[in-house]
Amino acid sequence: MFDLFSGSTINFKSIVGILGAFMFFLGFALLIPIIPALIYHEEAWQAFLISASFAFICGALSYIFFKPKQELRLREVFIVVTFTWIILSLVGAFPFMLSGTLINYTDAFFETISGLTTTGATIFGGTTTSGNINANIEDLPKSIVFWRSFLHWLGGMGFVVLSIAILPLLGTGGMQLFQAESSLLNSDKPTPRVQQTAKFLWYIYLGITLLHFVLLWVHPKMDWFEAINHAFSTMATGGFSTKDGSVGAFDSVYIDTVITLFMFLAGVNFVLHFRILRGEVSNVLENRELRFYVLVALIVTTLITFSLWMNYYDSFGEALRYGTFQALSILTTTGYGTADYTLWPAFALFLIFLLFFTGGSTGSTSGGIKMTRWIILLRSSFREIKQAVHPKGVYPIRMGNSIIDPAVSRTIFSFFVLYMLIFSAGVLALTAMNIDFVSAIGASIASLGNVGPAIGDYGPASNYAHMPFAGKWVLSLLMMIGRLEIFTVIVLFSTTFWKQ
């Protein structure tokens, strides 16, 4: 046993101080939705002001009394990152409650963590197991709708990454914080300094978001408010929309095409966007993960399109439009909907289901297993086949001109095994709550992969309101584990982690 603030190898004072800094920064984020509240003359501005004041006071006091005086060590980094996401979700849920939008804190927390982890699973528009009727999205205050999408945008690139870019005090141990929260630096590093890297990535993220906003706003079916919300959700690969019918409610080929393009871009490693801006186009085109990502997208969209053309839609154009949109939406874990894919032919639906286990590129805002891991897993499997035929042969795993360290291969294999075990545990927990098998599978993988809409009772035409309260907490945990890519969270459940 150890005391929380003394006699431990873990510096809990520094942890509390850093968490306080993040909560203080959250206070600024909570002030931003006041702008649409005032524009649309909504009383919800008070809920955001109270929530922001709470975050400012608690954050400031925590940082003042427990200001970190030394560099964070690895164990402390894991604790900081995990609890940052928990605290942000707990406090970020306040506006839903204080505005009267939701009367159940479980629903408020679920909606908040779904937004922050860019999952996009919503409880709005349905009835809870206790009989509470949650309002439709289109009936919500504009400021609340904005907050949902803004949570996506903050969580997409990473709240910790944003804080590192803005707050110099987090330069201490910043690289470890960066890597624990995000996969952005696991494959490449555009600049030598972590704070400069964080700034560059956020500049690119902001720039592409603004471009997406403008391209949506020019269409007459989208006003500025709908355009900015969808720009936030798309670039974060989140999926929250301003409409109950998601993107399909706009019924526009132009809007579908623009969002499809930007979903694809959001699924690309943002370091590659940085390389393109520096004119390193040939370097980007040679990237093996990008090539594999494009190949998977082309194969799946082609197969789904022809399946829909032959068995569901009358015209090839419709099949291409809806098939491509939904394939990219699930592949990048965005989760928008223009069609109810659960009604599609079994072949197309099965391909959609397989995409729940993919995800975009490493260093993108997508969730899921991600393309680099799949490349190495597949090459490891083929290597084992060759090794079985030629036991004395030496067959290193390559990624381009580089040889993959066997330790990296083992880590990725361990990640995959843990991913499938956690997914299975989620299914087991949900079926224990009398949720049918197909719906439990869909909800579990859609939450762990940060996709949002699933299959069964939780498909794109439905919502998670009727999920039992215990089930919502299970799915919330899966969302956070998936967003932090498993190890950062799971390590805290290890007894070895806490031993002195």
Side-chain angles (χ1 to χ4, degrees):
M1 299 295 291
F2 52 82
D3 180 72
L4 286 180
F5 294 103
S6 63
S8 170
T9 58
I10 299 176
N11 189 336
F12 282 95
K13 289 184 178 181
S14 294
I15 291 172
V16 173
I18 292 291
L19 291 176
F22 287 141
M23 185 180 291
F24 187 83
F25 190 62
L26 175 64
F28 289 103
L30 283 161
L31 292 177
I32 295 178
I34 293 178
I35 298 173
L38 295 177
I39 291 174
Y40 290 100
H41 307 290
E42 297 171 348
E43 294 184 358
W45 68 268
Q46 301 175 47
F48 287 102
L49 182 60
I50 294 171
S51 302
S53 299
F54 176 84
F56 282 137
I57 294 171
C58 292
L61 291 176
S62 297
Y63 182 73
I64 290 171
F65 286 106
F66 302 106
K67 183 177 180 179
K69 297 179 180 179
Q70 60 187 34
E71 184 173 343
L72 291 177
R73 291 166 295 184
L74 188 59
R75 289 199 293 178
E76 292 155 359
V77 165
F78 286 135
I79 296 172
V80 165
V81 171
T82 301
F83 278 88
T84 293
W85 284 76
I86 293 173
I87 291 172
L88 295 183
S89 298
L90 290 170
V91 178
F94 288 178
F96 291 106
M97 299 291 294
L98 296 175
S99 65
T101 304
L102 293 170
I103 61 175
N104 183 280
Y105 187 75
T106 295
D107 280 356
F109 180 84
F110 182 90
E111 193 75 10
T112 304
I113 199 168
S114 177
L116 201 59
T117 59
T118 73
T119 304
T122 185
I123 48 78
F124 285 113
T127 304
T128 67
T129 53
S130 60
N132 297 326
I133 300 176
N134 294 332
N136 292 326
I137 296 170
E138 293 174 36
D139 296 328
L140 296 175
K142 298 289 188 182
S143 53
I144 293 294
V145 173
F146 180 88
W147 179 234
R148 294 167 76 241
S149 303
F150 192 54
L151 282 169
H152 270 342
W153 197 69
L154 289 174
M157 185 61 69
F159 193 87
V160 171
V161 177
L162 175 60
S163 302
I164 290 171
I166 295 176
L167 304 178
L169 63 95
L170 296 177
T172 301
M175 179 63 75
Q176 291 181 327
L177 283 170
F178 199 150
Q179 292 178 320
E181 185 198 47
S182 172
S183 63
L184 283 164
L185 292 187
N186 289 351
S187 60
D188 204 354
K189 186 180 177 183
T191 65
R193 296 179 56 194
V194 63
Q195 190 176 11
Q196 186 180 17
T197 296
K199 285 181 178 179
F200 271 126
L201 292 173
W202 264 95
Y203 289 153
I204 295 169
Y205 189 50
L206 175 61
I208 301 177
T209 302
L210 289 174
L211 177 60
H212 188 30
F213 161 69
V214 172
L215 291 177
L216 289 177
W217 190 16
V218 297
H219 194 276
K221 286 191 175 181
M222 270 202 178
D223 59 24
W224 72 271
F225 182 78
E226 291 169 326
I228 193 64
N229 276 272
H230 283 89
F232 282 159
S233 294
T234 304
M235 289 314 302
T237 62
F240 279 155
S241 176
T242 58
K243 301 288 187 182
D244 293 298
S246 192
V247 176
F250 295 97
D251 192 23
S252 166
V253 176
Y254 173 82
I255 291 174
D256 289 359
T257 303
V258 169
I259 290 180
T260 299
L261 171 62
F262 279 85
M263 285 193 296
F264 176 83
L265 292 176
V268 173
N269 189 331
F270 271 76
V271 174
L272 296 186
H273 293 306
F274 176 82
R275 300 290 184 201
I276 290 176
L277 291 176
R278 290 181 58 177
E280 301 174 15
V281 178
S282 59
N283 180 281
V284 170
L285 295 178
E286 292 174 0
N287 184 272
R288 293 299 189 275
E289 184 183 41
L290 178 61
R291 290 182 178 185
F292 187 68
Y293 173 57
V294 172
L295 180 64
V296 171
L298 287 174
I299 291 174
V300 175
T301 53
T302 300
L303 292 174
I304 290 177
T305 295
F306 277 95
S307 173
L308 295 177
W309 184 32
M310 291 184 291
N311 302 290
Y312 197 77
Y313 292 111
D314 294 330
S315 71
F316 178 78
E318 281 187 309
L320 178 64
R321 172 187 172 185
Y322 295 111
T324 302
F325 186 96
Q326 286 306 149
L328 266 296
S329 178
I330 303 301
L331 172 63
T332 61
T333 72
T334 307
Y336 280 140
T338 55
D340 187 354
Y341 53 74
T342 61
L343 302 177
W344 285 357
F347 179 75
L349 178 58
F350 180 66
L351 289 173
I352 289 291
F353 178 69
L354 290 180
L355 291 177
F356 279 84
F357 294 87
T358 54
S361 304
T362 303
S364 70
T365 58
S366 297
I369 295 175
K370 293 194 170 68
M371 291 297 158
T372 291
R373 294 192 182 100
W374 273 115
I375 293 173
I376 294 175
L377 284 170
L378 290 172
R379 291 186 177 179
S380 296
S381 300
F382 293 142
R383 196 258 319 256
E384 291 304 315
I385 294 174
K386 290 182 181 179
Q387 202 76 58
V389 177
H390 304 286
K392 295 183 179 180
V394 178
Y395 302 102
I397 301 172
R398 294 181 179 274
M399 181 75 79
N401 297 323
S402 303
I403 296 177
I404 302 299
D405 190 321
V408 174
S409 299
R410 289 194 298 270
T411 300
I412 290 174
F413 180 75
S414 300
F415 175 93
F416 181 75
V417 171
L418 278 173
Y419 196 91
M420 299 308 294
L421 286 174
I422 294 168
F423 157 62
S424 301
V427 176
L428 185 66
L430 295 178
T431 52
M433 301 174 198
N434 294 321
I435 295 172
D436 70 90
F437 185 56
V438 173
S439 299
I441 288 177
S444 180
I445 190 58
S447 298
L448 183 61
N450 303 131
V451 178
I455 57 176
D457 291 340
Y458 307 103
S462 187
N463 54 68
Y464 287 78
H466 54 288
M467 170 72 66
F469 289 139
K472 290 173 183 174
W473 288 102
V474 169
L475 296 185
S476 296
L477 178 60
L478 291 179
M479 291 177 203
M480 187 175 70
I481 291 174
R483 175 60 183 80
L484 295 180
E485 304 200 354
I486 295 184
F487 290 118
T488 302
V489 180
I490 294 301
V491 71
L492 301 186
F493 293 91
S494 167
T495 55
T496 304
F497 178 85
W498 298 102
K499 287 180 179 179
Q500 295 190 39

